[in-house]
Amino acid sequence: MNWLKSILLPAQGTAYAAEHDTFFMFIVALTAFFFLLITALVVFFVWRYRRRGDSPAESQVTHNTRLEIVWSVIPLILVMIIFAWGFHDYMNAYTAPGDALEIQVTAKQWIWQFEYPDGMRTVNEIHVPIGRPVRLVMSSEDVIHSFFVPSFRIKKDVVPGMYTDLWFLPEAEGEHTLFCAEYCGRGHSDMLGKIYVDSEEKFREWQELGDERTRTMPLAELGALLYESRGCSTCHSLDGSRRDGPSFKGVFGHEVKLSDGTTVLADENYIRESILEPQAKIVSSFEGIMPTFQGLLREREVKALIEFVKEQQ
Amino acid sequence: MSDSAISTTEHAPEHPPGLQHHFAEMEQQADSAKIGMWAFLVTEVLLFGGLFVGYGIMHARFTEAFASAHHHLDRVMGTLNTVILLTSSWTMVMAVSSARAGKQKNLVRYLTVTLLLAGAFLVVKYLEYSHKFHEGLLPGRFYTYAGPHLPEEFLFFSFYFMMTGLHGLHVLAGMIVISWLLRRAIRGDFSPSYYNPVDMGGLYWHLVDIIWIYLFPLIYLIS
Amino acid sequence: MADVASTSHPMAAGEPAATNYLKAERGFKSWIFTLDHKRIGVMYLWSVLLMFLLGGIFAMLVRLELLTPGKTIMEADTYNRMFTLHGAVMIFLFIIPAIPASLGNFVLPLMLGAKDVAFPRLNLASYWIYVIGAVFGVVAMVTGGVDTGWTFYTPYSTTSSTSVTTMTFAAFVLGFSSIFTGVNFIATIHRLRAPGMTWFKTPLFVWGIYATAIIQVLATPILGITLVLLMMERVFSVGIFDPRLGGDPVLFQHFFWFYSHPAVYIMILPGMAIISEIIPTFSRKNIFGYRAIAYSSVAIAFISFLVWGHHMFVSGQSELASAVFSFLTFLVAIPSGVKVFNWLATMYKGSIDLKAPMLYAIMFLMLFAIGGLTGLFLGALATDIHLHDTYFVVAHFHFVMVGGTVIAFIGGLHYWWPKMFGRMYSEKWARIAAVLIFIGFNVTFLPQFVLGTRGMPRRYYNYLDQFQPLHAFSTVGSWILGLGLFIVLGYLLASLRKRYDAPPNPWGGTTLEWTTSSPPIAHNFEHVPVVTREPYDHSPAPAPAPAGD
Ligand code: HEA
Ligand code: HEA
Ligand code: CUA
Ligand SMILES: [Cu+2]
């Protein structure tokens, strides 16, 4: 049956997928049997008992209690097996082990946002280490979405106003596609994501340096990306207007007045310090509410942000 | 039904007034109407049942807000309306029994009183509503109540207006039915052998009352 | 076989009887104000066929768009409207009223030996309410359409800027039409059976319609109130489904499926009811396991109320709830299986004539089996996690709804067409069309199972390239299917231009509708029939009829 399995189902990415597929193929076999039985009987009866001339039926049996009990009880037993087996696997699919890597998932029309325990955030893609259970804690900012990874055989709705969770134990290195399976409007069919299952080292490397793309992207471009994805934009405008923090426009290379009355030249070191130790120097007329990004940004990302701020003249 | 004890001719020679052509006899017609009416009443109960379930769930979720919001309701008015409807149920029963006994005058009298009581119910409801409107105790986004309140109290009023509103519509429909019965009663359509419409109208009216009997404690008397 | 007190039929083939219901009265008004269940049935028939055509056009557009990934002929926003309107029209305007309100209305009183349904005025009201609902539906379509999916899930549906309120109102109105039909049939079946027709001498079509009517009466009000709540949410922001106001969006799903799961049996039970008529007639055999089939309809009707949560296995409902719903879902499958086996046993040692209605009955057996058996994958908890909201589900429900109900409906239409209009259609074209429909249907929907198991989600405008070949198959299949259906429409319409040529009982049926003329006279029967035998008694020597008058 393996050939059939490989036609019907995508490659297996988790141990659970293998478990699921065994069950799946069991139902395939069972239903195929009943379908073939019905079809065979229909075809046989139609041929064997076709009307010749104006003949009456050969017999007029109206019931047979033994037979009727048999064809009620056998399917009943079979479906109870399916039920119990399905329930067993369902509990496995939905009960996460305790030691899982926990990733927060926030869905919104039409992107997936992820946050790792160390505060790192990504959009539409995550990297996970192979062989370590991952638990997703999911919520939505607008309508209902659904987190669906066919190769893991898992799916769960992502609902606004509550948390749902999902877990998986990745076992196949490589790229897996994430779909949004609950209809959520215009971009529903483009609300896709990627799950990269990496080896332990590759995963650590990714945590430190970022992935291929961020590693090769020009600094300023990466900075622009981070400006959006790390939330700088909520407090800093680019057009000179005042938000909770000073605008980035025209900061670099100019004198900045601080709240203790001194001034400082906004060079690379100052920007760097502002990001990693914002409380050290507070710009006058602002409050020291900026959170520190110490530990949340990779070295290259800090450089990228500095580069980005530099460009805002 | 028995095998063949029934006339098999196309039209029975005597077709009693009020018997529609496709029925064989009065009893069959009345029975059909009853079954149909009961089935319809079941749908009505389920219609309200859905709202009750929704209310129950939200009440369980925001018990405090609901308890606090219901203090805005006027229990005196609510009780008054309960009494009015119960009385009208009784007059309806009397109307049906008058019809069955062939007491034409009493039938007209009881139907009139029932109609008036139904009208009184709506008047009281109108007073209650206008008071709420005035205070800004409106459903959903129209809730503008300025006094101190818990954030979810508006949800109570959403349900208050949906439930009493739907019930009010049923009272209104009941009044139309009763008016129609009244017209036919005055015209002298009914007799001890044909009073099925009164019976059916009565069933419907009792349903409207019973729903109120459940609504009243549920929303006016939360403890 | 049921006997009629007097067996003389004044009408010979080819000679229209003066009083046949089609000719009894003339003019437009005699139709739109008619209280005759047969005429109301015919008006319903043309209306639902029109809606089938409309829904079918939407389906063709959906399929055409899916021929290639990305834009083929329309933008995403348009596509989302297309599948929503396709689903909503097919469900609310076509399949729910299709069999009960058209064929049921026409045949049920005839089968019972009654002159009409219990409440003819309510029957007419039900029809016009249906028309009003349809008009609102069309208004919703032309004023911006609806893009929520036929399931109207909140909070998307409460925030969508399309004409959701109008469409919901349309569905609400249609619900009343459905309730009225149900109430009417329940009373009719209880009180208008012919003398001698005990419950167990009642044809199985009647049993099926009866079980359907029970669901219509018990489930539709819940849909009504759910839709009211949805409208209120949109107009007043009442807060019950809106998470930002403290409401619960998932609650809507419970409400919705509490109706819509039983509704799937509103769709299939009448289809099964038709099959239970066709198979005995064309096998010349008494039905096997009459009581089992009758009871299983009622069993399905009741259990169907307890399984709605199987649409929500991945919604975050508690595992215990999921387990209970899954368990009960499997229980519902058993009575369906019982029916299938009984139909097969009815064919055993029969005298089988593969006329058009029987062809459809056989197609039903195979296609419904696939549809039902794939339901087991969805009822099983673990597999549903993977398959939920994929094309597997789409394929499942098209197999049961199109392969099951629509095929049974077309079979029933062929079965009773001579009775309804007094004309025989072309058997040759009927066969050609049936083959095209069978092939087209399978080419359309079989690939969708594989799409689903491979992970293609439903309601997708755009898709990954790897899914393209199967989508292309499916689209081509839909053209074959559509061609087959148009041929059916063609030869049926063509038959209407002939003279009356149908005998009262062209197939050798044993139920009461075959004892009156084709088309029936306005009052159905010359004489009130008296029933003494079982409904499907095909034994060769009928007992002599007891003297009537
Ligand atoms: C006519 C309509 C119809 C019918 C009859 C059915 C019949 C069944 N359906 Fe289906 N279903 C739908 C219409 C229907 N369904 C629709 C419209 C949806 C999707 C709605 C949406 O989301 O848009 C849906 C979705 C749906 C789901 C939710 C899937 C999801 O979204 O994740 C499930 C899950 O349990 C399900 C299960 C079943 C089962 C178990 C049956 C059973 O009743 C089938 C019973 C029949 C058989 C089993 C075959 C015959 C039996 C034998 C040959 C004997 C041998 C049998 C055994 C061994 C048991 N259906
Ligand atoms: C009764 C119900 C019904 C019927 C009959 C059909 C029929 C068809 N459906 Fe439909 N479908 C649904 C109910 C139905 N569907 C529902 C509920 C959904 C879900 C919507 C949602 O997600 O919200 C859906 C979704 C759906 C999708 C998925 C869309 C998506 O998820 O993105 C697709 C895709 O292929 C599809 C295709 C088709 C096709 C090709 C047909 C073909 O079978 C159509 C063929 C018909 C014709 C071509 C018309 C011919 C008619 C005449 C000529 C009239 C006269 C006829 C006679 C006298 C016989 N349907
Ligand atoms: Cu998000 Cu679909
Ligand atoms: Cu269901």
Side-chain angles (χ1 to χ4, degrees), chain C residues 119-466:
Chain C
F119 315 119
R121 277 196 204 89
L122 189 66
N123 204 11
L124 183 64
S126 156
Y127 175 72
W128 285 108
I129 292 172
Y130 169 81
V131 173
I132 293 170
V135 168
F136 274 103
V138 172
V139 168
M141 287 172 211
V142 296
T143 56
V146 184
D147 72 343
T148 59
W150 80 282
T151 48
F152 302 117
Y153 272 17
T154 54
Y156 187 76
S157 60
T158 50
T159 48
S160 167
S161 59
T162 53
S163 306
V164 179
T165 313
T166 317
M167 187 53 99
T168 337
F169 185 70
F172 177 75
V173 171
L174 291 167
F176 276 96
S177 162
S178 179
I179 287 177
F180 288 163
T181 305
V183 165
N184 212 338
F185 286 174
I186 288 180
T188 307
I189 295 168
H190 269 275
R191 296 302 294 147
L192 291 182
R193 279 170 288 134
M197 187 182 283
T198 58
W199 278 104
F200 290 113
K201 286 199 180 108
T202 306
L204 288 167
F205 182 73
V206 176
W207 275 95
I209 295 289
Y210 182 69
T212 309
I214 290 178
I215 311 181
Q216 283 175 302
V217 165
L218 293 182
T220 319
I222 305 293
L223 175 72
I225 201 66
T226 309
L227 297 175
V228 168
L229 287 172
L230 184 57
M231 285 186 268
M232 291 291 145
E233 188 77 62
R234 282 181 65 88
V235 179
F236 294 110
S237 310
V238 291
I240 161 165
F241 300 133
D242 188 341
R244 279 166 310 178
L245 300 176
D248 183 353
V250 180
L251 184 60
F252 176 85
Q253 300 177 21
H254 282 288
F255 271 119
F256 183 83
W257 291 116
F258 186 83
Y259 164 76
S260 292
H261 180 80
V264 309
Y265 295 103
I266 295 182
M267 305 169 201
I268 198 68
L269 282 172
M272 293 170 154
I274 288 177
I275 301 304
S276 299
E277 295 299 321
I278 294 179
I279 291 188
T281 299
F282 290 90
S283 306
R284 289 208 174 147
K285 250 193 87 192
N286 203 330
I287 191 117
F288 189 93
Y290 172 92
R291 286 191 185 216
I293 296 182
Y295 284 134
S296 64
S297 293
V298 181
I300 289 176
F302 282 102
I303 310 177
S304 73
F305 280 96
L306 305 172
V307 309
W308 77 88
H310 68 203
H311 296 270
M312 299 168 62
F313 288 154
V314 307
S315 71
Q317 75 183 1
S318 80
E319 275 97 10
L320 179 67
S322 290
V324 172
F325 285 126
S326 168
F327 180 82
L328 292 165
T329 298
F330 286 117
L331 287 192
V332 186
I334 301 302
S336 303
V338 165
K339 281 177 196 267
V340 170
F341 294 129
N342 278 304
W343 291 321
L344 284 172
T346 304
M347 290 166 68
Y348 173 69
K349 290 201 174 169
S351 167
I352 298 173
D353 189 8
L354 277 190
K355 286 259 167 42
M358 189 64 176
L359 274 180
Y360 284 99
I362 283 168
M363 264 153 76
F364 176 96
L365 284 179
M366 291 162 65
L367 300 180
F368 174 73
I370 297 182
L373 291 167
T374 52
L376 301 179
F377 289 80
L378 301 172
L381 290 164
T383 35
D384 186 62
I385 296 180
H386 178 56
L387 298 172
H388 172 75
D389 269 352
T390 63
Y391 264 77
F392 191 90
V393 177
V394 174
H396 156 69
F397 67 68
H398 283 92
F399 263 85
V400 276
M401 295 202 296
V402 186
T405 310
V406 174
I407 292 297
F409 174 58
I410 299 177
L413 196 59
H414 284 77
Y415 185 55
W416 285 305
W417 185 265
K419 180 58 62 187
M420 297 179 86
F421 298 105
R423 273 86 159 189
M424 302 303 289
Y425 45 80
S426 155
E427 187 67 33
K428 187 182 95 200
W429 279 105
R431 279 167 197 233
I432 294 173
V435 170
L436 282 176
I437 290 174
F438 187 74
I439 294 174
F441 177 81
N442 282 303
V443 176
T444 311
F445 293 108
L446 277 179
Q448 296 189 0
F449 283 120
V450 184
L451 280 171
T453 53
R454 297 201 66 86
M456 164 84 198
R458 62 191 280 207
R459 296 170 173 171
Y460 260 34
Y461 161 74
N462 190 7
Y463 54 83
L464 304 183
D465 289 338
Q466 66 184 83

Side-chain angles (χ1 to χ4, degrees), chain A residues 39 42 133 154 169 212-213 228 236 238 241 271 273 278 292 305 308:
Chain A
T39 307
V42 166
I154 55 163
L169 175 64
E212 257 328 286
R213 198 160 57 98
E228 289 293 343
H236 300 281
L238 301 179
S241 64
I271 304 287
E273 189 187 44
T292 171
L305 279 168
F308 176 70

Side-chain angles (χ1 to χ4, degrees), chain B residues 1 3 6 10 21-23 28 31-32 36 42-43 46-47 50 57 61-62 140-142 154-155 158 162, chain C residues 115 117-120 183 191-193 195 217-218 221 225 229 234-238 240 246 248 251 255 523 530:
Chain B
M1 256 187 250
D3 248 10
I6 204 168
E10 163 81 302
H21 83 94
H22 58 291
F23 290 112
Q28 191 189 26
D31 275 3
S32 304
V42 168
T43 69
L46 286 162
L47 190 71
I57 291 172
R61 187 175 290 198
F62 306 117
R141 74 163 95 120
F142 300 101
F154 79 95
L155 205 56
S158 297
M162 284 195 291
Chain C
K115 287 188 196 136
V117 291
F119 315 119
V183 165
R191 296 302 294 147
L192 291 182
R193 279 170 288 134
V217 165
L218 293 182
I225 201 66
L229 287 172
R234 282 181 65 88
V235 179
F236 294 110
S237 310
V238 291
I240 161 165
D248 183 353
L251 184 60
F255 271 119
H523 285 292
V530 177

